[in-house]
Amino acid sequence: MDFTPTEEQEAARELAGRIFADLSTHERLRAAGTGTDAELWKALCAAGLPGAVEETGLLGLVLLLEEQGRRTAQVPFAAGCVYGILAVARHGTEEQRSRLLPGLRDGTTVVTGALPAPGAVTSRDGGRLSGAVDWVPWLRDATHVLVPDEDRVLWLVRTEDAAAVEAVELTAPWAAARLVLDGTPAERLGQGGPSAHDDVLAAARIAFAGLQAGVCAGSLARAVEHTSVREQFGRPLSTHQAVQLRAADAHMDTEAIRVTAYEAAWRFDEGLDASGAALTAAWWASEAGKRVVHAGQHLHGGMGADLDHPVHRHFLWGRQLDAYLGCGTELLAELGDLLAKGDLS
């Protein structure tokens, strides 16, 4: 295994870091409220970063999502890349790739995913979907949504064709909505069946684990900065052993999230079985992510309870990612099933 970024991956990460640092500021996040920052999304697309994922792979996407997570930037970058660009590029037909990828690259087409949603939607009559998914991230920004049916076949649905797209507010500001389908026409993604579904789901788990690594890194960085300047009993908080140990635990948890996400993404890009690695990365992102964002908030003391403080956004994102990834016990149960079946080497 070699997680050293290529020149292309490193260049894309540096560019993303600069754009997020310049445009995803505390003031702009406050102004955006719970919606998406359209100017930031436009800047990312103009810089060619969504399209770069086709060349840099899932590991490259994980590196970019780390930068987004550090700033809790409110754009549909993770969903648009993993459910849109990667899914279409890997599983779409030649006609679908030529039709959809240009819009996905320039941001005029945004795909999100109603995954995981086992059994929530049924298909009839060659692509008429019915059912409901309680919440889909960034659905309010999406032109299309990737939906699995009861047989784990993937379908692309235009959001304008859905029976209803009902806005819902989540813990984090992800522009989410409830998706309601009632005989809604859909387009099958490629010719793949359950294997395509499992591939996209694994990629999504890895990508959102990378996003959690960035959220945790940003939370910890704020805690380190705060405890280095905040004084108690005549000396900085960072000199107290209890604070050092709490920060050290958070650092180790963050590194565990990062390295498991990198390993899973590397396996995915190399064409190796990544199902177990994806579950492992998702479990670390869920379980350790909760610990890190709680630690970041606690290390800020009373300021951490201020809903308007920047560190509180990391707390909200960390808890939302925990819920979206499936929560630790659910992921462990699925990983245990893989082990029991002998599907892991």
Side-chain angles (χ1 to χ4, degrees), residues 276-340:
L279 282 167
T280 302
W283 181 82
W284 273 104
S286 174
E287 287 292 293
K290 283 187 293 188
R291 292 196 294 266
V292 173
V293 296
H294 275 271
Q297 195 169 31
H298 291 168
L299 288 173
H300 278 76
M303 294 178 66
D306 182 357
L307 302 184
D308 194 45
H309 195 282
V311 77
H312 190 68
R313 291 195 189 92
H314 293 272
F315 175 77
L316 296 177
W317 277 66
R319 293 313 307 259
Q320 186 63 62
L321 282 162
D322 165 41
Y324 187 59
L325 288 165
C327 299
T329 52
E330 296 178 18
L331 294 166
L332 272 186
E334 191 173 342
L335 187 57
D337 288 340
L338 280 179
L339 289 168

Short mmCIF file of all heavy atoms in Angstrom, two decimals, residues 276-340:
data_model
loop_
_atom_site.label_atom_id
_atom_site.label_comp_id
_atom_site.label_asym_id
_atom_site.label_seq_id
_atom_site.Cartn_x
_atom_site.Cartn_y
_atom_site.Cartn_z
N GLY A 276 -15.01 -4.72 2.90
CA GLY A 276 -14.65 -4.77 4.31
C GLY A 276 -13.90 -3.53 4.74
O GLY A 276 -14.13 -3.00 5.84
N ALA A 277 -12.99 -3.05 3.89
CA ALA A 277 -12.23 -1.84 4.22
C ALA A 277 -13.14 -0.62 4.30
O ALA A 277 -12.94 0.27 5.14
CB ALA A 277 -11.13 -1.61 3.18
N ALA A 278 -14.16 -0.58 3.43
CA ALA A 278 -15.10 0.54 3.48
C ALA A 278 -15.89 0.54 4.78
O ALA A 278 -16.11 1.59 5.39
CB ALA A 278 -16.06 0.47 2.28
N LEU A 279 -16.34 -0.64 5.22
CA LEU A 279 -17.06 -0.74 6.49
C LEU A 279 -16.16 -0.37 7.66
O LEU A 279 -16.59 0.29 8.62
CB LEU A 279 -17.60 -2.15 6.67
CG LEU A 279 -18.87 -2.49 5.89
CD1 LEU A 279 -19.11 -4.00 5.89
CD2 LEU A 279 -20.07 -1.76 6.46
N THR A 280 -14.90 -0.78 7.60
CA THR A 280 -13.95 -0.44 8.66
C THR A 280 -13.74 1.07 8.74
O THR A 280 -13.76 1.66 9.82
CB THR A 280 -12.61 -1.15 8.42
OG1 THR A 280 -12.82 -2.56 8.38
CG2 THR A 280 -11.62 -0.82 9.53
N ALA A 281 -13.55 1.70 7.57
CA ALA A 281 -13.37 3.15 7.55
C ALA A 281 -14.62 3.86 8.06
O ALA A 281 -14.53 4.84 8.82
CB ALA A 281 -13.05 3.61 6.13
N ALA A 282 -15.79 3.37 7.64
CA ALA A 282 -17.03 3.99 8.09
C ALA A 282 -17.21 3.82 9.59
O ALA A 282 -17.70 4.74 10.27
CB ALA A 282 -18.22 3.38 7.34
N TRP A 283 -16.84 2.67 10.14
CA TRP A 283 -16.97 2.45 11.58
C TRP A 283 -16.07 3.40 12.35
O TRP A 283 -16.51 4.02 13.33
CB TRP A 283 -16.61 1.01 11.95
CG TRP A 283 -16.76 0.74 13.42
CD1 TRP A 283 -17.91 0.44 14.10
CD2 TRP A 283 -15.72 0.81 14.41
NE1 TRP A 283 -17.65 0.31 15.44
CE2 TRP A 283 -16.32 0.53 15.67
CE3 TRP A 283 -14.36 1.09 14.35
CZ2 TRP A 283 -15.59 0.51 16.86
CZ3 TRP A 283 -13.62 1.07 15.54
CH2 TRP A 283 -14.23 0.79 16.77
N TRP A 284 -14.84 3.54 11.92
CA TRP A 284 -13.94 4.48 12.60
C TRP A 284 -14.47 5.91 12.49
O TRP A 284 -14.43 6.68 13.47
CB TRP A 284 -12.53 4.41 12.01
CG TRP A 284 -11.68 3.36 12.65
CD1 TRP A 284 -11.35 2.14 12.16
CD2 TRP A 284 -11.07 3.45 13.95
NE1 TRP A 284 -10.57 1.45 13.07
CE2 TRP A 284 -10.39 2.23 14.18
CE3 TRP A 284 -11.03 4.43 14.94
CZ2 TRP A 284 -9.67 1.97 15.33
CZ3 TRP A 284 -10.32 4.18 16.10
CH2 TRP A 284 -9.65 2.97 16.29
N ALA A 285 -14.97 6.27 11.32
CA ALA A 285 -15.49 7.63 11.13
C ALA A 285 -16.70 7.87 12.03
O ALA A 285 -16.87 8.97 12.57
CB ALA A 285 -15.87 7.84 9.67
N SER A 286 -17.52 6.84 12.21
CA SER A 286 -18.70 6.98 13.06
C SER A 286 -18.35 7.03 14.54
O SER A 286 -18.67 7.99 15.24
CB SER A 286 -19.67 5.82 12.78
OG SER A 286 -20.76 5.84 13.66
N GLU A 287 -17.67 6.00 15.01
CA GLU A 287 -17.37 5.88 16.45
C GLU A 287 -16.33 6.89 16.90
O GLU A 287 -16.54 7.62 17.88
CB GLU A 287 -16.90 4.46 16.75
CG GLU A 287 -18.00 3.42 16.72
CD GLU A 287 -18.97 3.61 17.88
OE1 GLU A 287 -18.58 3.42 19.04
OE2 GLU A 287 -20.14 3.96 17.59
N ALA A 288 -15.19 6.93 16.23
CA ALA A 288 -14.13 7.85 16.64
C ALA A 288 -14.51 9.29 16.34
O ALA A 288 -14.14 10.21 17.07
CB ALA A 288 -12.82 7.49 15.95
N GLY A 289 -15.25 9.50 15.25
CA GLY A 289 -15.66 10.85 14.91
C GLY A 289 -16.48 11.50 16.01
O GLY A 289 -16.31 12.68 16.32
N LYS A 290 -17.39 10.73 16.60
CA LYS A 290 -18.18 11.25 17.72
C LYS A 290 -17.27 11.70 18.85
O LYS A 290 -17.46 12.77 19.44
CB LYS A 290 -19.16 10.19 18.23
CG LYS A 290 -20.38 9.98 17.39
CD LYS A 290 -21.34 9.04 18.06
CE LYS A 290 -20.78 7.64 18.16
NZ LYS A 290 -21.79 6.67 18.65
N ARG A 291 -16.30 10.87 19.19
CA ARG A 291 -15.40 11.21 20.30
C ARG A 291 -14.63 12.49 20.02
O ARG A 291 -14.46 13.34 20.91
CB ARG A 291 -14.42 10.06 20.55
CG ARG A 291 -15.06 8.79 21.10
CD ARG A 291 -14.02 7.85 21.68
NE ARG A 291 -13.12 7.31 20.67
CZ ARG A 291 -13.29 6.17 20.05
NH1 ARG A 291 -14.37 5.43 20.30
NH2 ARG A 291 -12.41 5.73 19.17
N VAL A 292 -14.15 12.63 18.79
CA VAL A 292 -13.32 13.79 18.47
C VAL A 292 -14.11 15.09 18.53
O VAL A 292 -13.66 16.08 19.12
CB VAL A 292 -12.67 13.62 17.08
CG1 VAL A 292 -11.93 14.91 16.68
CG2 VAL A 292 -11.71 12.44 17.08
N VAL A 293 -15.30 15.12 17.93
CA VAL A 293 -16.05 16.38 17.92
C VAL A 293 -16.58 16.72 19.31
O VAL A 293 -16.72 17.91 19.65
CB VAL A 293 -17.18 16.36 16.87
CG1 VAL A 293 -16.60 16.25 15.47
CG2 VAL A 293 -18.19 15.26 17.13
N HIS A 294 -16.86 15.71 20.12
CA HIS A 294 -17.22 15.99 21.52
C HIS A 294 -16.02 16.56 22.26
O HIS A 294 -16.17 17.53 23.04
CB HIS A 294 -17.71 14.72 22.21
CG HIS A 294 -19.17 14.44 21.99
ND1 HIS A 294 -20.15 14.94 22.80
CD2 HIS A 294 -19.80 13.71 21.03
CE1 HIS A 294 -21.33 14.53 22.37
NE2 HIS A 294 -21.16 13.79 21.30
N ALA A 295 -14.84 15.99 22.03
CA ALA A 295 -13.64 16.50 22.69
C ALA A 295 -13.35 17.93 22.26
O ALA A 295 -13.00 18.79 23.09
CB ALA A 295 -12.44 15.60 22.37
N GLY A 296 -13.50 18.21 20.97
CA GLY A 296 -13.25 19.56 20.49
C GLY A 296 -14.15 20.57 21.15
O GLY A 296 -13.72 21.68 21.52
N GLN A 297 -15.41 20.21 21.34
CA GLN A 297 -16.35 21.11 21.99
C GLN A 297 -16.03 21.25 23.48
O GLN A 297 -16.03 22.36 24.03
CB GLN A 297 -17.77 20.60 21.80
CG GLN A 297 -18.85 21.64 22.11
CD GLN A 297 -20.22 21.17 21.65
OE1 GLN A 297 -20.51 19.99 21.63
NE2 GLN A 297 -21.07 22.12 21.28
N HIS A 298 -15.72 20.14 24.14
CA HIS A 298 -15.43 20.19 25.58
C HIS A 298 -14.17 21.00 25.88
O HIS A 298 -14.10 21.71 26.89
CB HIS A 298 -15.28 18.78 26.12
CG HIS A 298 -16.58 18.02 26.15
ND1 HIS A 298 -16.64 16.66 26.36
CD2 HIS A 298 -17.86 18.42 25.99
CE1 HIS A 298 -17.90 16.27 26.33
NE2 HIS A 298 -18.66 17.33 26.09
N LEU A 299 -13.16 20.88 25.00
CA LEU A 299 -11.91 21.60 25.23
C LEU A 299 -12.07 23.11 25.07
O LEU A 299 -11.19 23.86 25.46
CB LEU A 299 -10.82 21.08 24.31
CG LEU A 299 -10.29 19.68 24.64
CD1 LEU A 299 -9.34 19.17 23.57
CD2 LEU A 299 -9.59 19.67 26.00
N HIS A 300 -13.18 23.53 24.50
CA HIS A 300 -13.47 24.96 24.42
C HIS A 300 -14.19 25.47 25.67
O HIS A 300 -14.51 26.66 25.76
CB HIS A 300 -14.32 25.28 23.19
CG HIS A 300 -13.53 25.40 21.92
ND1 HIS A 300 -13.04 24.31 21.24
CD2 HIS A 300 -13.14 26.49 21.21
CE1 HIS A 300 -12.40 24.72 20.16
NE2 HIS A 300 -12.44 26.04 20.11
N GLY A 301 -14.48 24.57 26.59
CA GLY A 301 -15.16 24.99 27.82
C GLY A 301 -16.54 25.56 27.52
O GLY A 301 -17.27 25.05 26.67
N GLY A 302 -16.86 26.64 28.21
CA GLY A 302 -18.18 27.25 28.03
C GLY A 302 -18.39 27.77 26.63
O GLY A 302 -19.53 27.77 26.12
N MET A 303 -17.33 28.18 25.95
CA MET A 303 -17.45 28.68 24.58
C MET A 303 -17.94 27.58 23.63
O MET A 303 -18.59 27.85 22.63
CB MET A 303 -16.11 29.24 24.09
CG MET A 303 -15.66 30.48 24.85
SD MET A 303 -14.06 31.07 24.28
CE MET A 303 -14.46 31.56 22.61
N GLY A 304 -17.63 26.33 23.95
CA GLY A 304 -18.06 25.24 23.11
C GLY A 304 -19.56 25.06 23.08
O GLY A 304 -20.10 24.41 22.17
N ALA A 305 -20.24 25.60 24.08
CA ALA A 305 -21.70 25.51 24.13
C ALA A 305 -22.38 26.63 23.35
O ALA A 305 -23.60 26.63 23.21
CB ALA A 305 -22.18 25.54 25.58
N ASP A 306 -21.60 27.57 22.83
CA ASP A 306 -22.14 28.67 22.04
C ASP A 306 -22.50 28.14 20.65
O ASP A 306 -21.63 27.71 19.89
CB ASP A 306 -21.10 29.78 21.94
CG ASP A 306 -21.59 30.99 21.16
OD1 ASP A 306 -22.74 30.95 20.65
OD2 ASP A 306 -20.85 31.98 21.07
N LEU A 307 -23.79 28.18 20.30
CA LEU A 307 -24.24 27.63 19.03
C LEU A 307 -23.67 28.39 17.84
O LEU A 307 -23.68 27.87 16.72
CB LEU A 307 -25.77 27.64 18.96
CG LEU A 307 -26.51 26.87 20.05
CD1 LEU A 307 -28.01 26.90 19.78
CD2 LEU A 307 -26.01 25.44 20.15
N ASP A 308 -23.18 29.60 18.05
CA ASP A 308 -22.65 30.40 16.96
C ASP A 308 -21.14 30.28 16.84
O ASP A 308 -20.54 30.87 15.95
CB ASP A 308 -23.03 31.87 17.18
CG ASP A 308 -22.81 32.71 15.92
OD1 ASP A 308 -23.19 32.25 14.83
OD2 ASP A 308 -22.22 33.81 16.04
N HIS A 309 -20.50 29.51 17.73
CA HIS A 309 -19.05 29.36 17.68
C HIS A 309 -18.67 28.41 16.53
O HIS A 309 -19.35 27.41 16.31
CB HIS A 309 -18.53 28.82 19.01
CG HIS A 309 -17.04 28.98 19.16
ND1 HIS A 309 -16.15 28.13 18.55
CD2 HIS A 309 -16.30 29.87 19.86
CE1 HIS A 309 -14.91 28.50 18.86
NE2 HIS A 309 -14.98 29.56 19.65
N PRO A 310 -17.58 28.69 15.81
CA PRO A 310 -17.20 27.82 14.69
C PRO A 310 -17.04 26.35 15.07
O PRO A 310 -17.37 25.47 14.27
CB PRO A 310 -15.87 28.42 14.22
CG PRO A 310 -15.94 29.85 14.60
CD PRO A 310 -16.72 29.88 15.89
N VAL A 311 -16.55 26.07 16.28
CA VAL A 311 -16.33 24.66 16.64
C VAL A 311 -17.65 23.90 16.74
O VAL A 311 -17.68 22.67 16.58
CB VAL A 311 -15.54 24.55 17.97
CG1 VAL A 311 -16.43 24.82 19.18
CG2 VAL A 311 -14.89 23.17 18.10
N HIS A 312 -18.75 24.61 16.97
CA HIS A 312 -20.04 23.93 17.07
C HIS A 312 -20.45 23.34 15.73
O HIS A 312 -21.14 22.30 15.68
CB HIS A 312 -21.11 24.89 17.59
CG HIS A 312 -22.40 24.20 17.96
ND1 HIS A 312 -22.50 23.35 19.02
CD2 HIS A 312 -23.63 24.23 17.38
CE1 HIS A 312 -23.75 22.88 19.09
NE2 HIS A 312 -24.44 23.40 18.11
N ARG A 313 -20.04 23.96 14.63
CA ARG A 313 -20.35 23.41 13.31
C ARG A 313 -19.68 22.04 13.13
O ARG A 313 -20.27 21.12 12.57
CB ARG A 313 -19.89 24.35 12.21
CG ARG A 313 -20.68 25.64 12.13
CD ARG A 313 -20.41 26.35 10.81
NE ARG A 313 -21.01 27.67 10.83
CZ ARG A 313 -20.39 28.77 11.21
NH1 ARG A 313 -19.14 28.69 11.60
NH2 ARG A 313 -21.01 29.93 11.22
N HIS A 314 -18.45 21.93 13.61
CA HIS A 314 -17.76 20.64 13.51
C HIS A 314 -18.50 19.59 14.33
O HIS A 314 -18.60 18.42 13.91
CB HIS A 314 -16.32 20.79 13.99
CG HIS A 314 -15.47 21.64 13.10
ND1 HIS A 314 -14.79 21.14 12.01
CD2 HIS A 314 -15.21 22.97 13.12
CE1 HIS A 314 -14.15 22.12 11.41
NE2 HIS A 314 -14.38 23.24 12.06
N PHE A 315 -19.00 19.99 15.48
CA PHE A 315 -19.78 19.06 16.31
C PHE A 315 -21.02 18.59 15.56
O PHE A 315 -21.33 17.39 15.51
CB PHE A 315 -20.17 19.76 17.61
CG PHE A 315 -21.08 18.94 18.49
CD1 PHE A 315 -20.58 17.89 19.25
CD2 PHE A 315 -22.43 19.21 18.55
CE1 PHE A 315 -21.41 17.13 20.06
CE2 PHE A 315 -23.28 18.45 19.35
CZ PHE A 315 -22.76 17.42 20.10
N LEU A 316 -21.74 19.52 14.93
CA LEU A 316 -22.96 19.17 14.20
C LEU A 316 -22.64 18.26 13.01
O LEU A 316 -23.35 17.27 12.76
CB LEU A 316 -23.67 20.44 13.73
CG LEU A 316 -24.21 21.36 14.83
CD1 LEU A 316 -24.83 22.60 14.21
CD2 LEU A 316 -25.23 20.65 15.70
N TRP A 317 -21.60 18.59 12.26
CA TRP A 317 -21.22 17.77 11.12
C TRP A 317 -20.78 16.38 11.57
O TRP A 317 -21.13 15.38 10.95
CB TRP A 317 -20.10 18.45 10.32
CG TRP A 317 -20.56 19.49 9.36
CD1 TRP A 317 -21.16 20.68 9.66
CD2 TRP A 317 -20.46 19.45 7.93
NE1 TRP A 317 -21.42 21.38 8.51
CE2 TRP A 317 -21.00 20.66 7.44
CE3 TRP A 317 -19.95 18.53 7.04
CZ2 TRP A 317 -21.05 20.95 6.09
CZ3 TRP A 317 -19.99 18.81 5.68
CH2 TRP A 317 -20.54 20.01 5.21
N GLY A 318 -20.00 16.31 12.64
CA GLY A 318 -19.53 15.02 13.12
C GLY A 318 -20.67 14.11 13.52
O GLY A 318 -20.67 12.91 13.21
N ARG A 319 -21.66 14.67 14.22
CA ARG A 319 -22.80 13.85 14.62
C ARG A 319 -23.67 13.47 13.42
O ARG A 319 -24.22 12.37 13.37
CB ARG A 319 -23.63 14.59 15.66
CG ARG A 319 -22.95 14.79 17.01
CD ARG A 319 -22.30 13.51 17.53
NE ARG A 319 -23.19 12.38 17.58
CZ ARG A 319 -23.77 11.93 18.69
NH1 ARG A 319 -23.56 12.52 19.85
NH2 ARG A 319 -24.55 10.85 18.65
N GLN A 320 -23.80 14.37 12.44
CA GLN A 320 -24.59 14.03 11.25
C GLN A 320 -23.91 12.93 10.44
O GLN A 320 -24.58 12.02 9.92
CB GLN A 320 -24.78 15.28 10.39
CG GLN A 320 -25.71 15.06 9.20
CD GLN A 320 -27.12 14.71 9.65
OE1 GLN A 320 -27.78 15.51 10.30
NE2 GLN A 320 -27.57 13.51 9.31
N LEU A 321 -22.60 13.00 10.31
CA LEU A 321 -21.87 11.97 9.58
C LEU A 321 -21.97 10.63 10.29
O LEU A 321 -22.05 9.58 9.64
CB LEU A 321 -20.41 12.38 9.40
CG LEU A 321 -20.18 13.41 8.28
CD1 LEU A 321 -18.83 14.09 8.43
CD2 LEU A 321 -20.29 12.74 6.92
N ASP A 322 -21.96 10.64 11.61
CA ASP A 322 -22.17 9.41 12.38
C ASP A 322 -23.51 8.78 12.00
O ASP A 322 -23.60 7.58 11.71
CB ASP A 322 -22.12 9.74 13.87
CG ASP A 322 -22.67 8.62 14.75
OD1 ASP A 322 -22.39 7.45 14.45
OD2 ASP A 322 -23.37 8.93 15.73
N ALA A 323 -24.56 9.59 11.94
CA ALA A 323 -25.89 9.08 11.59
C ALA A 323 -25.94 8.62 10.13
O ALA A 323 -26.53 7.57 9.82
CB ALA A 323 -26.94 10.15 11.84
N TYR A 324 -25.32 9.37 9.24
CA TYR A 324 -25.40 9.04 7.82
C TYR A 324 -24.64 7.76 7.49
O TYR A 324 -25.07 6.95 6.66
CB TYR A 324 -24.86 10.20 6.98
CG TYR A 324 -25.06 10.00 5.49
CD1 TYR A 324 -26.34 9.84 4.97
CD2 TYR A 324 -23.99 9.97 4.62
CE1 TYR A 324 -26.55 9.65 3.61
CE2 TYR A 324 -24.18 9.78 3.25
CZ TYR A 324 -25.46 9.63 2.75
OH TYR A 324 -25.66 9.43 1.41
N LEU A 325 -23.50 7.56 8.15
CA LEU A 325 -22.71 6.37 7.88
C LEU A 325 -23.35 5.11 8.44
O LEU A 325 -22.98 4.01 8.07
CB LEU A 325 -21.30 6.54 8.44
CG LEU A 325 -20.42 7.53 7.67
CD1 LEU A 325 -19.19 7.92 8.47
CD2 LEU A 325 -20.01 6.93 6.33
N GLY A 326 -24.30 5.26 9.34
CA GLY A 326 -25.04 4.10 9.83
C GLY A 326 -24.88 3.80 11.29
O GLY A 326 -25.45 2.82 11.78
N CYS A 327 -24.10 4.60 12.02
CA CYS A 327 -23.83 4.39 13.44
C CYS A 327 -22.99 3.12 13.64
O CYS A 327 -23.13 2.13 12.90
CB CYS A 327 -25.10 4.33 14.26
SG CYS A 327 -26.07 5.86 14.16
N GLY A 328 -22.13 3.16 14.63
CA GLY A 328 -21.12 2.13 14.80
C GLY A 328 -21.65 0.72 14.93
O GLY A 328 -21.12 -0.23 14.33
N THR A 329 -22.71 0.52 15.72
CA THR A 329 -23.20 -0.83 15.95
C THR A 329 -23.76 -1.46 14.67
O THR A 329 -23.56 -2.65 14.43
CB THR A 329 -24.29 -0.82 17.04
OG1 THR A 329 -25.29 0.15 16.71
CG2 THR A 329 -23.70 -0.46 18.40
N GLU A 330 -24.44 -0.68 13.86
CA GLU A 330 -24.97 -1.20 12.59
C GLU A 330 -23.83 -1.60 11.65
O GLU A 330 -23.89 -2.64 10.98
CB GLU A 330 -25.85 -0.15 11.92
CG GLU A 330 -27.11 0.21 12.70
CD GLU A 330 -27.93 1.29 12.00
OE1 GLU A 330 -27.71 1.51 10.79
OE2 GLU A 330 -28.78 1.90 12.66
N LEU A 331 -22.80 -0.78 11.60
CA LEU A 331 -21.67 -1.08 10.72
C LEU A 331 -20.92 -2.31 11.21
O LEU A 331 -20.49 -3.15 10.40
CB LEU A 331 -20.73 0.13 10.67
CG LEU A 331 -21.32 1.38 10.00
CD1 LEU A 331 -20.46 2.59 10.31
CD2 LEU A 331 -21.44 1.18 8.50
N LEU A 332 -20.75 -2.44 12.52
CA LEU A 332 -20.10 -3.63 13.07
C LEU A 332 -20.89 -4.89 12.76
O LEU A 332 -20.32 -5.95 12.46
CB LEU A 332 -19.92 -3.49 14.58
CG LEU A 332 -18.65 -2.80 15.08
CD1 LEU A 332 -18.58 -2.88 16.60
CD2 LEU A 332 -17.40 -3.42 14.47
N ALA A 333 -22.22 -4.80 12.85
CA ALA A 333 -23.06 -5.95 12.54
C ALA A 333 -22.88 -6.38 11.09
O ALA A 333 -22.78 -7.58 10.78
CB ALA A 333 -24.52 -5.63 12.83
N GLU A 334 -22.84 -5.41 10.18
CA GLU A 334 -22.65 -5.73 8.77
C GLU A 334 -21.25 -6.31 8.52
O GLU A 334 -21.08 -7.25 7.73
CB GLU A 334 -22.87 -4.47 7.92
CG GLU A 334 -22.94 -4.76 6.44
CD GLU A 334 -23.33 -3.53 5.62
OE1 GLU A 334 -23.86 -2.56 6.20
OE2 GLU A 334 -23.09 -3.56 4.40
N LEU A 335 -20.26 -5.74 9.19
CA LEU A 335 -18.91 -6.25 9.06
C LEU A 335 -18.82 -7.68 9.61
O LEU A 335 -18.14 -8.55 9.04
CB LEU A 335 -17.92 -5.35 9.79
CG LEU A 335 -16.43 -5.62 9.64
CD1 LEU A 335 -16.01 -5.60 8.18
CD2 LEU A 335 -15.61 -4.61 10.44
N GLY A 336 -19.52 -7.94 10.71
CA GLY A 336 -19.55 -9.28 11.27
C GLY A 336 -20.19 -10.28 10.31
O GLY A 336 -19.74 -11.43 10.20
N ASP A 337 -21.23 -9.84 9.60
CA ASP A 337 -21.86 -10.72 8.62
C ASP A 337 -20.87 -11.09 7.50
O ASP A 337 -20.84 -12.24 7.03
CB ASP A 337 -23.09 -10.05 8.00
CG ASP A 337 -24.25 -9.96 8.99
OD1 ASP A 337 -24.25 -10.73 9.97
OD2 ASP A 337 -25.15 -9.13 8.77
N LEU A 338 -20.07 -10.12 7.07
CA LEU A 338 -19.07 -10.40 6.04
C LEU A 338 -18.05 -11.41 6.54
O LEU A 338 -17.65 -12.33 5.82
CB LEU A 338 -18.36 -9.11 5.61
CG LEU A 338 -19.06 -8.18 4.62
CD1 LEU A 338 -18.20 -6.97 4.35
CD2 LEU A 338 -19.37 -8.90 3.33
N LEU A 339 -17.61 -11.22 7.78
CA LEU A 339 -16.65 -12.17 8.36
C LEU A 339 -17.24 -13.56 8.47
O LEU A 339 -16.59 -14.58 8.20
CB LEU A 339 -16.21 -11.67 9.73
CG LEU A 339 -15.30 -10.43 9.75
CD1 LEU A 339 -15.17 -9.87 11.15
CD2 LEU A 339 -13.93 -10.78 9.20
N ALA A 340 -18.51 -13.64 8.89
CA ALA A 340 -19.17 -14.93 9.07
C ALA A 340 -19.32 -15.67 7.74
O ALA A 340 -19.23 -16.91 7.67
CB ALA A 340 -20.53 -14.75 9.71
#
